[in-house]
Amino acid sequence: MVIGVLPAITLLVASPVSEGTVDAGRAGPPPLTASAVEAGPTLRQTIELADMSSIAVSPDGHLLAFRIEHASVAANDFELGWYVVPTDGSAPPRRVADAGEGERRDGELATEPPVWTHDGRAILFRKVAGGEVQVWRAEVDGSKSEAVTRDASNVRRFALGPEPGTILYSVGATRAAVEEAERREYDDGVLIDATVDPARQLFRGALLEGRKGSDRFSGRWFTFGHLLAGAPLTYRALDLGTGVVRDATPSEAARVTDPPRTPDIGNPRPVTDEARSGDHRGNARVTAEDFASRLSIVRPNGRSIACAQSSCKLRIGKIAWQGARDAVVFATTDRGGGQAFQLWTPRDDKVRRIGGGAGRWGGGRDRAGCAVDVDAIYCVVADANTPPRLVRVAISSGVVTTLANPNHDLVRPGTLQFEPMRWSGLSGQEFTGQLMLPAGNRRALPLFVTYYLCEGYLRGGIGDEFPLRQLAASGMAVLCIDRVAMRAGLMDPVEQYRIGHEGVREAVRILADRGIVDRSRVGMGGVSFGGETTMWVAQNSNLLSAISIGNTLLSPTYYWFNALPGSQISPILKQVWGIGRPEDDPARWEMLSPTFSTDKIHAPLLMQLPEREFRFNVELAARLGQAHKPVELWAFPEETHLKYQPRHKLAIYERNLDWFRFWLQGYVDPDPAKAEQYRRWQAMRGSGSR
């Protein structure tokens, strides 16, 4: 059943074709045209567009500090800078300091707003540079940026002290002690226990705090740190005027203690976000309950106040206090992925909608929230067709003012556009997504699908690995499907995979019944949960003609690599996925692991994996290869979960584009540099693939 209609999309004029080869045995559009690609951002432009994050408002509310992050394919690196802009939009942003290298956690760049000095003349921030992490100060007029701590240990957290002109910070083991522990372990050998990930390089194989270091499990579910990450913390106070450092008092140390540990994965009502006022108002928090949220405040005396309004029971993302007022700003997300800001005043338990709309308004790509003061909300916003920009949303009126738009050149009239699509499956489950159709012919098109999250500006799905715009420009229909929201607490992944499968199957049926797509030429790709769902569809249907994933899959190797006594991974596999040792429940393993279902996989499979994860998929590649089924496995050095290096991103984009064009359109790029690639793929096609 369809709830809603497919978008009415204006047809664009098709462009002349470039040279290339199309398999005469496959119906398909002409080769990808240069003009069609140039009509929207190129792959390089997509990789190098500016992201913004880490927003902080000055004490007087007149200035906003934020970070801009630029990737460079040529340098295979990132440039991070701190910028300041007037909150009224009266002047353009001004760069005030280099922001260092940043910290990456499983490939994602961590966000960390700067801290304004009490007088509003400077910002303080942690800077990762040259293997050190220190606190730096940058004047907002751009005149000077310098380190204010020179600690032998890396700064873990910091905050302003209770007295103006002081900061408090925490540190762990010294850098020298960490390096000595690594050298000693190198000489003595490494005890392989539950803290060691056998899939990673043992000696200095990970980027940690700006240097190559030896990493070990240091938390729940693939959280890593250096060898001495568990050492006790030391808390210090620094006088910015004199440079004198002393031990922090217990009350001062409390300001920079690590946040509480994430609730256990089995908690049916986890706290998903919390805003601490630090004063008489207490702490506001969001608790997940089934498919909804619960917004409440816990006063310092222990009294709890819950919001009873319907808006407070929607899917709530980030929350924040409205400056010094006793009111809470929160972001809600509807089923179509659109977001809105709401204001809750607990005194009268009233909720007022402030603003919002299509796309992501809750903090940009990082989902780390916006900055809020008494008068306004400041956010990085983006939608499927509009790259990130920084805006001010007035709390009183909802009026939106753009403060920074570094990607304005990428928005061009006449380019292909995503349009929202909504439908439901036979079970009644509702689905949402973003559909892009090519110019010219829109009948019996090949279709590419990716499943997981379609938030903000669509570049390549989760992980940014699939060149959606270029696939559409080549003559394919492209559909990004949002993962259906799950209830809080534990949920059988099999149910999630089946729901995803239903969404993909019904979308294909609807588009094919309308004559838009050719159901015999459907490709699918994904990363992380999206890759798992892709493999589930491939194992449990004949729907797909080509697939590509960017993540590890469940296998016996994966299980045993994470099953040494004391491991936190294998108990979670049992708790969530319902699996233990492969020999104890072969039926469950056969259902969940593609390694045991190679006879069911018929679509050509491309795997482009990070170095940390590729070993788990070697058995699958070997089994498929020995069965003469089309498969190719690539691994990218020094990548963890989400690949981030710009050159790797470009290679992944280009190979995925070539892969789906070859299998769905029969297209062979005439570039001589790709001759070996197509020789391999042609041999695969001749080996009996469908």
Side-chain angles (χ1 to χ4, degrees), residues 33 224 296 494 517 657:
T33 71
F224 293 90
S296 63
V494 171
V517 305
L657 178 62

Side-chain angles (χ1 to χ4, degrees), residues 189-533:
V190 178
L191 173 64
I192 305 301
D193 59 16
T195 68
V196 176
D197 183 352
R200 296 168 79 98
Q201 184 175 316
L202 290 176
F203 180 71
R204 296 180 179 172
L207 187 63
L208 299 167
E209 298 178 339
R211 63 177 285 270
K212 285 294 187 65
S214 303
D215 63 340
R216 297 292 182 266
F217 286 119
S218 63
R220 298 176 65 255
W221 196 248
F222 296 104
T223 301
F224 293 90
H226 57 68
L227 293 186
L228 302 182
L233 297 181
T234 300
Y235 301 93
R236 296 181 174 136
L238 167 67
D239 186 308
L240 293 174
T242 64
V244 173
V245 179
R246 60 173 174 81
D247 290 338
T249 66
S251 62
E252 289 174 330
R255 292 173 177 246
V256 287
T257 55
D258 286 348
R261 177 175 162 170
T262 303
D264 183 78
I265 194 168
N267 189 340
R269 292 181 174 82
V271 175
T272 58
D273 196 34
E274 186 173 37
R276 301 185 177 190
S277 70
D279 55 31
H280 66 281
R281 294 172 294 175
N283 301 331
R285 62 180 52 168
V286 179
T287 305
E289 297 184 359
D290 291 329
F291 292 96
S293 302
R294 181 177 185 269
L295 178 60
S296 63
I297 292 174
V298 179
R299 299 298 193 189
N301 62 8
R303 178 188 172 211
S304 180
I305 304 172
C307 176
Q309 305 305 311
S310 58
S311 298
C312 296
K313 299 176 183 178
L314 299 172
R315 289 166 54 199
I316 298 176
K318 304 298 291 186
I319 60 174
W321 292 98
Q322 186 194 2
R325 293 183 180 175
D326 191 21
V328 177
V329 174
F330 61 99
T332 60
T333 303
D334 61 31
R335 291 182 176 178
Q339 295 190 317
F341 294 123
Q342 318 275 355
L343 180 68
W344 174 46
T345 51
R347 182 186 68 256
D348 53 13
D349 192 28
K350 290 186 177 180
V351 174
R352 176 172 64 84
R353 187 181 189 278
I354 299 171
R360 172 156 287 283
W361 287 71
R365 191 179 196 195
D366 54 46
R367 288 177 254 147
C370 308
V372 180
D373 65 9
V374 171
D375 298 317
I377 306 166
Y378 305 92
C379 274
V380 179
V381 303
D383 61 40
N385 299 301
T386 309
R389 67 191 189 282
L390 179 64
V391 303
R392 177 187 190 272
V393 183
I395 291 178
S396 61
S397 63
V399 171
V400 177
T401 303
T402 297
L403 302 179
N405 190 9
N407 300 304
H408 63 88
D409 288 342
L410 299 183
V411 181
R412 302 167 190 164
T415 60
L416 300 178
Q417 298 288 300
F418 284 99
E419 296 285 351
M421 176 177 170
R422 299 187 66 180
W423 68 102
S424 65
L426 297 177
S427 69
Q429 177 65 59
E430 299 179 3
F431 297 94
T432 62
Q434 295 285 340
L435 176 68
M436 177 177 282
L437 298 181
N441 172 57
R442 296 189 175 191
R443 306 295 295 177
L445 301 170
L447 171 67
F448 172 78
V449 179
T450 187
Y451 181 89
Y452 199 171
L453 297 175
C454 309
E455 301 174 327
Y457 185 63
L458 283 182
R459 311 178 203 192
I462 286 292
D464 289 336
E465 298 201 1
F466 302 97
L468 304 180
R469 287 173 172 79
Q470 283 69 27
L471 287 167
S474 76
M476 296 188 196
V478 171
L479 177 61
C480 181
I481 303 178
D482 288 296
R483 177 181 180 176
V484 173
M486 299 290 112
R487 66 171 59 91
L490 298 179
M491 187 170 184
D492 186 353
V494 171
E495 181 179 352
Q496 300 180 49
Y497 300 149
R498 286 173 175 163
I499 290 172
H501 186 181
E502 179 184 11
V504 174
R505 183 183 64 241
E506 289 304 302
V508 171
R509 183 189 64 78
I510 292 167
L511 293 169
D513 286 351
R514 297 188 178 190
I516 297 173
V517 305
D518 177 356
R519 68 177 75 237
S520 70
R521 292 189 292 157
V522 178
M524 186 172 178
V527 175
S528 197
F529 176 76
E532 296 169 24
T533 304

Side-chain angles (χ1 to χ4, degrees), residues 465-467 524-527 531 534-535 545-551 553 601 603-609 617 620-621 624 629-636 643 651-661 663 677 680-681 684:
E465 298 201 1
F466 302 97
M524 186 172 178
V527 175
T534 297
M535 294 307 299
S545 297
I547 51 181
S548 173
I549 63 169
N551 56 280
L553 298 166
I601 300 173
L605 170 62
L606 173 64
M607 294 183 281
Q608 302 197 80
L609 272 63
N617 288 20
L620 174 61
L624 289 170
K629 295 189 174 184
V631 62
E632 199 157 275
L633 173 60
W634 291 76
F636 290 85
K643 282 81 80 182
I652 291 167
Y653 268 141
E654 290 179 339
R655 190 171 292 116
N656 272 325
L657 178 62
D658 290 345
W659 180 260
F660 286 105
R661 296 211 67 201
W663 293 105
Q677 166 180 281
R680 295 193 310 272
W681 295 355
M684 291 180 190

